[in-house]
Amino acid sequence: MRRAILKKFILVLLAALCINSVIFYLISSHMILKMAKEDMTYTIEMIDRLLDYEDDSYLAVQIERMEAFTGADDTRVTLIHSDGTVVSDTDTSTQGLDNHLSREEVREALEEGAGYAKRYSETMGKHFLYVACRSERSDMILRISVPYSGLSEYLPMLLPAALVSFLAALACAFVFTRRFVDSVTSPLQDIVSELQKVKGGNGELHFSPCPYQELNVIAETTMEMSNN
């Protein structure tokens, strides 16, 4: 019985820790995605204020100049007309690009002012997070994209801490579970021991009170039956 109770408690603990890990993963992923969206939106707003929209030919030059600080980490800045035509892109020529009006983030930006999407880029060969915003100074859509792998990028850093906390929780739970199991099984062992004395004709029953009323009832009932 003692081993069975201990096993059940450990299984329940493991299930609870696994559920907690899943919830932590989902919440952390959501928070990381939210922070990335906010940072990228702020970057787009800054670019929108800096660009000069008076001359379309000069727009391409301005976007190309951004290659100096976007090329290092594969960040792309794309300028798109409201009809979906790509005006300029920091990482590739606009001649080979199709119309972007059907892109999820572009549609949302046209309808709501800002749009977001996560997908695999065939052009770059990586998974990207795309954030697009409608310009406040022209009929353009500014889009910025960065390589995005979500929480998996931070797992190597989080895994040691998560493993230590998991083992610590498991050890503490094991110790407290053993104490609880002992507090339940010890009164039962005392009852069995006293019954064996009576069976051998060695005297009356004597039970020590225990913290659990149900076991005290069993002991009292056993004493009454023995007296009868």
Side-chain angles (χ1 to χ4, degrees):
M1 178 181 175
R2 182 175 182 275
R3 181 176 297 179
I5 296 176
L6 188 62
K7 182 179 179 180
K8 293 292 184 182
F9 268 81
I10 296 299
L11 291 176
V12 171
L13 173 66
L14 289 174
L17 289 175
C18 290
I19 294 173
N20 180 72
S21 299
V22 172
I23 294 175
F24 172 78
Y25 177 84
L26 294 176
I27 294 177
S28 300
S29 297
H30 175 74
M31 294 301 297
I32 291 173
L33 178 60
K34 181 181 178 182
M35 293 175 60
K37 288 178 179 178
E38 291 175 352
D39 292 342
M40 293 169 69
T41 301
Y42 176 75
T43 302
I44 290 177
E45 292 173 352
M46 293 296 296
I47 294 174
D48 185 36
R49 295 188 182 98
L50 294 173
L51 289 177
D52 182 5
Y53 292 99
E54 296 298 329
D55 186 357
D56 285 353
S57 61
Y58 185 53
L59 271 176
V61 176
Q62 295 177 77
I63 295 297
E64 288 175 1
R65 287 177 179 175
M66 295 181 184
E67 176 67 23
F69 67 89
T70 61
D73 56 357
D74 292 329
T75 301
R76 294 178 63 188
V77 178
T78 309
L79 194 60
I80 307 167
H81 266 301
S82 57
D83 62 358
T85 304
V86 178
V87 177
S88 183
D89 190 290
T90 56
D91 284 355
T92 186
S93 172
T94 58
Q95 295 179 357
L97 297 177
D98 56 359
N99 190 285
H100 280 35
L101 194 60
S102 60
R103 303 294 174 89
E104 179 184 352
E105 68 279 3
V106 176
R107 290 201 315 270
E108 289 183 3
L110 289 171
E111 296 172 1
E112 304 175 11
Y116 313 96
K118 292 187 296 180
R119 64 173 176 272
Y120 183 79
S121 172
E122 297 291 346
T123 305
M124 302 297 295
K126 295 180 180 179
H127 289 277
F128 275 78
L129 171 63
Y130 296 86
V131 177
C133 293
R134 188 168 51 208
S135 173
E136 297 180 356
R137 302 172 55 232
S138 70
D139 62 344
M140 299 281 188
I141 299 295
L142 289 92
R143 189 185 72 175
I144 188 170
S145 57
V146 297
Y148 185 78
S149 55
L151 188 60
S152 59
E153 182 179 350
Y154 302 93
L155 281 180
M157 295 183 294
L158 296 175
L159 193 59
L163 183 61
V164 170
S165 62
F166 182 87
L167 294 177
L170 188 63
C172 292
F174 181 77
V175 171
F176 287 110
T177 299
R178 287 193 61 179
R179 290 183 179 179
F180 171 73
V181 172
D182 289 340
S183 68
V184 173
T185 57
S186 293
L188 292 175
Q189 291 175 351
D190 293 340
I191 293 174
V192 173
S193 177
E194 291 297 320
L195 289 175
Q196 288 176 345
K197 289 181 181 179
V198 174
K199 182 179 179 181
N202 294 328
E204 298 181 353
L205 298 178
H206 298 284
F207 297 107
S208 301
C210 71
Y212 305 104
Q213 184 61 29
E214 293 81 358
L215 296 180
N216 289 329
V217 171
I218 293 175
E220 292 172 0
T221 303
T222 304
M223 290 179 63
E224 292 177 359
M225 292 177 62
S226 175
N227 293 332
N228 291 335

